[in-house]
Every structure is written in structure tokens, then in C-alpha cells.
Amino acid sequence: MMTQTSAWQTLAQYYQQSGKSLDTRQLFADDLDRFNRFSLSAADLFFDFSKHRIDDQAFKLLLQLAETCHLSEKIDAMFSGAAINVSENRPVLHTALRCPADKTLDIDGEDIIPAIHKVLAQMRHFSEQLRAGHYVGATGKAITDVVNISIGGSHLGPQMLYESLKAYSDNTLRCHFVSNIDATDIVTTLAPLNPETTLFIIGSKSFTTIETLVNANSAKQWLCAALGDQAFSKHFVALSSNPQAAAAFGIAETRIFPFWSWVGGRYSVWSSIGLIVMLAIGADHFDQLLAGAFAMDQHFRQTDFDKNMPVIMALLGIWYHNFFAAETHAVVCYDQYLQLFPRYLQQLDMESNGKSVRENGQSVTSSTGPIIWGDCGTNSQHSFHQLLHQGTHLVPIDFILAANSLHPLGQHHQLLLANALAQSQALLMGKNETQAYEELIAAGMSATQAKTLAAHKVMPGNRPSSTIMMEKLTPYTLGALIAAYEHKVFVQGVIWGIDSFDQWGVELGKVLAKNILPQLTDHNTTAKHDASTQGLINYCRSRYSQ
């Protein structure tokens, strides 16, 4: 167990003796080169981690922890296709999805790269036909709207990318996303659309996911009620690793875009699940997205840990979560296009590392999986930043921003940048009571009033943050950014000794829902439930009307 290793114990001892009292402000005062030494560039991203509560010794011990858990070997195992998803006995090869065509990767005696690029070529051809208006609906009209029906990673990933890369869309197609089983989601989405010009993308790895299939059937009924059953095949495509089930649903074989069992849902946007993204931004921009992720893959795989962006991101998270007992981690994007990125990271991180069982089936001996949350700046400054600056919780923060805007309104972006940099500075430097008092006196307040109010204006500072910057938000830099966080999550899972690529916690509620469903309308069912759940079923049943 990692917590029993000498590396972990030494780090814990150092935390108690020195680490927990480190003041980053003093570290900057003692080391004028700290910013340069604790920052790095990779794949067109710049990563500043100089504002963290680490000195050279803490950094050294964190790196030793990575070495102790055989991280290099685990990285090689993932990229080479070993079955590192141990509970499902599967390889984890989302990284292969962004490999260039001239690479090779043999899995069970077969090079999988040609098959990946065959699907990418299928996606490109379909995308170009649809965007050019050559692919038409059942009545001969060009498609104007595309509705992506899926859930989980195959919903949130494409939606996040679509929102993040809207500046690269020429609006040839209007894109919509449906995931919730709540009828409100699909009813309100379909209400303004024209069946003649609407295409549906059904994304489901197994093609058995109940939420997706119920929504898909509602979409099918909506379309066929307007255009007739014969119109169905022209208006539906499928993305699945179970093409037989997609075909049984009625989708034509030529309109099924496959992916593979070794692609996890929250890592699937690089596969055919990203079709709606390609439709929105074009195949060339989608290629740049893959290229940025591949560049980060290469950096992660080839760079020494002390200059390795995802590794350092992961180790800093371990430092705060396991030693400072920071239970949450905030992500604040100073870019409106990235408004869904924190929510995307919630799933990536919390579904991957929200585990209490190690790979060997034994209970974990340390806390795992911090709570991930966040929003866009500057909106977040007027909501939860109060807690970040003066609250009792230690919350490490990632600030994400671009040096240049994608829009010509320069004064907006200058103010945005100033706010982002000011927030990280304020969290670091804080304000003591003497400073607050002197500012109030200088503003004309009496000494008595200033003394009373000064305590309320104290901000302790020494609160850690990372800043990730790029020149511009592009498909390439976004691909690199997503890949960096993917690898960060993987590294933390390795250190905690858990399987980051299963999600059994998602399954139990889905199974129980199937048992409850018939009882909502049938008084004669006999399934047993706890008293509270049975009481709620009885309440719903007495008031539910079809």
C-alpha cells in the first residue's frame, strides 16, 4: 500500500515538520527565480505552479512518491495496451484515438491504428457531405439541425467541445444536445425544429443505455409522425461499439460509426462520439484537436517528471488532498467558451477516482478523489470567491485563461486578464489587519471605526493556485488541455492504487430503477424495498397520472 511506503511516510513527516507551515510569500522572497523554476511549457500550454505551498524539498519528495509507485511503468502499460482497467480486464486506449496514421500499435497481434483512421475517414466523408448540403433528408431538403442524443461522457464531452469551439464553427449546422430522461429535455429541444431538416445522432457504447434509448425512441416517434416510417433511415445515425444493437434499432449499416470496448465514455470524445463536434467545426479543426491531445500525450510519456505537466498537476493534488486534507479542488476558466469545462472535469475526475477500493479489492488507506467544482470568471468572483479568499476551507484552484481573445473587443479581454491575474495574486498575498487598518485610515475613516472594520477585511493569503495559459483557445490547445487533465487523473489513480477506468458506482442505481419502474403504476408488484423508498413509491403511485 502506498501509504505504508517510505516515500509516503517521509513526505508525511516532512509535512508535519515543515510543509504545513510553508508560506509561499516567503518562498518568493527567498528565491527570486522561483517563477521560472516552478513553471513550464508543453503543447502550446504554459503552466505556472509557483504559487503553491511547496519548496524544493517538498517537490523532491513528491517526485520520489511518483517513482515509488512505478509510475513510468504504469504509463508505458497504458500506452502499450495492457489491461490496466483490471476490474473489466480491458486496455485503456483513448490515447490511440489521437495517434497519427503513420504510427503503429499492436493489440493482440493486430495494429489498431488503421481501424481508427478508417472511422475518422468515414466521419470526415459524412461531415463534408452534410456540411456541403449534399446529404439530405427524406424530403430532399438539406439538414440544418443536428440533435446529439446520449448521456454521460458521450454527451458531456461533445457538448463541452461544441461550446468551447463555437468560434471555429461556421454555423452551417445548428447543434443540439439531449441527455436527461426528463421529458422536458427532448420536448423543448425538438419544439422549434423542422423534422424535414433534422438529423439525430444516437451515441451509446452498448446501445442499451435506457436513458438514451428512451430519448431515441421519442425522437423516432416525433420524426415518423411527421414524415412517415420510411423517413427514419435518412435522419438517424449511430455511434456505438455494439453495431448489431444499432442495426436492430433500425439504423442503416452505412450510418453506424463504430468505436471500441477499450474506449471509456468519459474518454470517448476523441472517437466517433465526437462526430457532432466534427460536424460543427469541420474535419480539419477536429484533426487539430486530436493533434493537440497527441502532443500532450508525447510530453506526458517522454518528459522527466520534474518537468512533466500532468505529473506535477497530479502530485500537487496529492499534496493538498492527502496531506493538507483539502477535500475539494476548484477550476475557474477566464474564458466564456470554456463555461462547461469545469463540469466536464467533474465527470472525468470524480467518476474516475471516486473509489474506496484498490485494484486488488482491498479498501483504500488514504482519501481519494477530491470534489471538483468551478465556473467561469469573472462571474465566479461575485459568487464563491468570497469563500476562497476568506473562508475556512483550503481550496486549491486552477485558473485557465488565454493571453489573446478570439474577439476584437480588446478592452474586454484586458479587463478579463487583469481580473484573472489579480485573483491569483490576492489569494497568494492576502491582506493583514495592519494593511486593512491603514487603508481605512487613508480613506478618511476614524481610528475607532477603522479598528472595528479592519478585522472583517483581513484575507489570510497563502492560498494555492495554478495558472494554465495559452496564447489563444484553439482546437489544438483545447486538445492539449483536456489530455493534460486526463493524464493528471490517471497519475493520481496510480498513486492511490485504484482503477481509474471503471465506474461500478454508476450501475447500482440504474439496476434499482428498473425494479422500481413497474411499481409506480402496478399495485400488484411484490418487490421489497426499504420503508422510506416504499413510502415514496406509494406517494408517487397515489398521485401519478399517465
Side-chain angles (χ1 to χ4, degrees), residues 6 40 49 105 114-115 121 135 200 288 341 350 404 410 444 452 461 464 489 531:
S6 60
L40 60 94
F49 59 101
L105 180 58
Y135 181 93
F200 293 94
Q288 284 298 302
F341 192 64
M350 295 166 71
N404 292 300
T452 300
V489 168

Side-chain angles (χ1 to χ4, degrees), residues 355-425:
K355 311 287 172 62
S356 56
V357 177
R358 303 178 74 245
E359 286 182 326
N360 59 12
Q362 298 178 356
S363 296
V364 298
T365 56
S366 65
S367 180
T368 67
I371 298 166
I372 306 298
W373 59 291
D375 200 355
C376 277
T378 58
N379 291 351
S380 60
Q381 293 175 199
H382 296 269
S383 56
F384 59 75
H385 281 224
Q386 169 62 41
L387 180 145
L388 299 179
H389 287 289
Q390 288 190 304
T392 58
H393 303 277
L394 177 68
V395 183
I397 309 153
D398 293 347
F399 291 104
I400 302 174
L401 58 152
N404 292 300
S405 174
L406 297 174
H407 301 288
L409 300 178
Q411 70 273 24
H412 283 261
H413 198 68
Q414 291 166 12
L415 185 58
L416 183 73
L417 288 176
N419 273 272
L421 301 180
Q423 288 297 309
S424 66
Q425 181 184 33

Side-chain angles (χ1 to χ4, degrees), residues 127-400:
S127 173
E128 291 174 346
Q129 291 290 305
L130 196 66
R131 285 167 56 82
H134 300 321
Y135 181 93
V136 296
T139 62
K141 293 183 178 180
I143 299 297
T144 60
D145 293 86
V146 182
V147 181
N148 195 82
I149 297 179
S150 53
I151 200 165
S154 56
H155 159 72
L156 190 52
Q159 187 183 35
M160 180 275 294
L161 282 175
Y162 171 72
E163 292 292 338
S164 299
L165 298 175
K166 270 187 174 178
Y168 297 88
S169 171
D170 58 7
N171 296 315
T172 299
L173 299 167
R174 293 185 292 267
C175 298
H176 315 270
F177 298 84
V178 171
S179 63
N180 201 335
I181 196 66
D182 187 337
T184 302
D185 197 4
I186 192 162
V187 168
T188 57
T189 299
L190 297 182
L193 303 185
N194 179 357
E196 293 182 275
T197 59
T198 299
L199 177 77
F200 293 94
I201 298 176
I202 313 301
S204 174
K205 185 174 182 178
S206 65
F207 226 81
T208 60
T209 307
I210 186 65
E211 298 94 334
T212 300
L213 289 184
V214 168
N215 279 324
N217 275 305
S218 293
K220 184 177 182 179
Q221 292 166 11
W222 175 82
L223 180 90
C224 293
L227 304 181
D229 292 350
Q230 74 283 352
F232 171 75
S233 63
K234 295 288 288 183
H235 291 263
F236 276 75
V237 302
L239 323 170
S240 183
S241 62
N242 186 358
Q244 295 82 9
F249 186 79
I251 296 176
E253 182 180 353
T254 57
R255 294 292 172 257
I256 299 173
F257 298 80
F259 59 101
W260 299 269
S261 63
W262 38 257
V263 180
R266 56 194 176 277
Y267 300 91
S268 64
V269 75
W270 317 102
S271 71
S272 61
I273 287 293
L275 177 62
I276 193 168
V277 182
M278 185 183 287
L279 292 175
I281 65 175
D284 290 344
H285 283 139
F286 193 85
D287 287 346
Q288 284 298 302
L289 178 77
L290 299 178
F294 178 73
M296 183 56 69
D297 293 342
Q298 296 302 100
H299 166 77
F300 176 56
R301 192 175 187 183
Q302 298 172 1
T303 307
D304 292 341
F305 292 163
D306 63 343
K307 293 294 181 183
N308 193 308
M309 187 182 298
V311 171
I312 294 171
M313 291 168 67
L315 292 173
L316 291 170
I318 295 288
W319 181 231
Y320 295 114
H321 188 64
N322 292 112
F323 296 92
F324 285 85
E327 294 186 343
T328 79
H329 186 104
V331 179
V332 180
C333 302
Y334 278 77
D335 193 311
Q336 185 66 23
Y337 283 121
L338 292 175
Q339 59 183 303
L340 292 183
F341 192 64
R343 199 167 81 182
Y344 174 80
L345 292 183
Q346 280 184 333
Q347 187 197 29
L348 173 65
D349 200 312
M350 295 166 71
E351 192 167 89
S352 295
N353 287 344
K355 311 287 172 62
S356 56
V357 177
R358 303 178 74 245
E359 286 182 326
N360 59 12
Q362 298 178 356
S363 296
V364 298
T365 56
S366 65
S367 180
T368 67
I371 298 166
I372 306 298
W373 59 291
D375 200 355
C376 277
T378 58
N379 291 351
S380 60
Q381 293 175 199
H382 296 269
S383 56
F384 59 75
H385 281 224
Q386 169 62 41
L387 180 145
L388 299 179
H389 287 289
Q390 288 190 304
T392 58
H393 303 277
L394 177 68
V395 183
I397 309 153
D398 293 347
F399 291 104
I400 302 174

